Amino acid sequence: MNLSDYQSQFLAFLFGGTNQPALPNSEVYRFGVEAKAVRALELSYPTVKALVGPAAFEELALDYFRMIRKQSGDWSDFGWGFPSWMISHRISDRVPYLSDVARLDNYVGRVERCQYQEVDFESFSAIGEDLSSCQLILNSGLQFFRSVYPIVSIWEAHKSHTPQDTLSFAQAKRMIAKGRGQNALIYRAGWRGMAEAISEKEIALLDRLRKQPSIAEAFGDDVLNETNFTGWLQDMISKRVIVGARTIH
């Protein structure tokens, strides 16, 4: 057997393409790699594991590992496509919101690992009477998205060892029964990723701000209500969602 054939057979065995080992003790090697794959996904998707249970999660993780195959040498990169891959997996028939929950887990992890910007308080002096001449700056590490499921409540509930006893679980159950979803805002408090449900109006506003229009364009007529604008801005600054302002030249 030449080297190319040997490598092909070994990789086929390693990723479950065949049950015939390529060399003695290769079962031990495959078991070790599979265990690392499962562990990497456990760290990245804790809420998914809590939802489906350890046994089902291990089966799901191994299905993903054998289908996708690890390409890089960095296990922290493994699993980036897990949420979208899960949509076509049979488990989504049983837990249809699982992909969106995985997406939220993934975004929380990204926010915790990224260079989350600090607030430039002095820059807010750029906000004057003419709100068409200045912009608000969103934190580049910020994440937000829409879901047809109550993903934030599900995520919150499953941080507890007894999710069924939490108010978040009861809220998620009611919302699922009514066919209602949530928009998720993911930001960082210290080094910890946080997820918060926000209104459709708020997520639409964040969408507009990401395109960097003026404050007047982003808020429209609502910006004339100074009290609401000031209160919202203070809250967003405290969460480092908004990190500064600048004049439009």
Side-chain angles (χ1 to χ4, degrees):
M1 179 187 302
N2 60 38
L3 179 59
S4 178
D5 290 340
Y6 170 81
Q7 289 176 331
S8 296
Q9 288 188 24
F10 180 71
L11 289 173
F13 175 73
L14 177 62
F15 291 104
T18 176
N19 290 322
Q20 297 300 318
L23 77 165
N25 299 321
S26 55
E27 294 95 337
V28 176
Y29 185 79
R30 183 166 79 175
F31 176 79
V33 175
E34 288 179 344
K36 286 182 179 180
V38 173
R39 180 58 178 159
L41 290 177
E42 284 176 340
L43 292 173
S44 297
Y45 300 98
T47 314
V48 175
K49 181 183 177 182
L51 271 166
V52 303
F57 184 86
E58 181 175 351
E59 180 182 351
L60 184 66
L62 291 177
D63 283 350
Y64 176 77
F65 174 65
R66 290 163 184 163
M67 178 67 69
I68 302 301
R69 305 190 180 189
K70 180 173 176 290
Q71 299 295 327
S72 77
D74 187 354
W75 280 104
S76 66
D77 292 335
F78 178 66
W80 63 269
F82 195 51
S84 56
W85 169 85
M86 200 182 298
I87 295 172
S88 59
H89 192 277
R90 59 186 178 278
I91 200 167
S92 290
D93 295 333
R94 179 164 61 90
V95 192
Y97 47 81
L98 199 60
S99 176
D100 279 6
V101 173
R103 188 179 176 190
L104 179 52
D105 268 346
N106 181 265
Y107 281 163
V108 170
R110 285 194 203 179
V111 165
E112 290 178 340
R113 294 190 301 270
C114 77
Q115 259 191 320
Y116 205 67
Q117 292 172 273
E118 297 297 330
V119 178
D120 180 0
F121 290 100
E122 291 184 3
S123 70
F124 291 104
S125 62
I127 300 177
E129 292 185 5
D130 183 7
L131 296 178
S132 64
S133 66
C134 53
Q135 298 172 330
L136 294 177
I137 304 170
L138 284 183
N139 199 317
S140 60
L142 185 72
Q143 302 285 347
F144 52 87
F145 71 103
R146 295 173 172 87
S147 175
V148 296
Y149 301 105
I151 49 169
V152 178
S153 295
I154 294 169
W155 181 82
E156 282 285 352
H158 286 83
K159 289 194 291 184
S160 169
H161 293 299
T162 55
Q164 294 87 346
D165 298 334
T166 65
L167 292 175
S168 295
F169 185 90
Q171 181 182 36
K173 190 174 180 179
R174 287 195 301 271
M175 292 183 73
I176 289 173
K178 294 178 180 180
R180 293 171 54 197
Q182 287 176 326
N183 303 316
L185 170 66
I186 304 97
Y187 60 96
R188 198 162 84 192
W191 289 97
R192 184 183 176 191
M194 307 292 291
E196 178 181 313
I198 58 174
S199 69
E200 179 58 32
K201 182 178 178 180
E202 288 176 303
I203 198 169
L205 176 58
L206 292 175
D207 261 333
R208 291 196 296 272
L209 287 173
R210 182 164 276 177
K211 298 170 185 174
Q212 298 186 329
S214 69
I215 295 175
E217 289 174 317
F219 284 80
D221 293 337
D222 292 338
V223 79
L224 299 177
N225 189 333
E226 185 178 351
T227 303
N228 284 350
F229 170 67
T230 302
W232 177 87
L233 183 58
Q234 288 175 342
D235 181 47
M236 292 295 102
I237 292 172
S238 71
K239 295 170 182 172
R240 290 189 291 166
V241 171
I242 302 292
V243 292
R246 60 178 162 233
T247 302
I248 302 172
H249 297 290

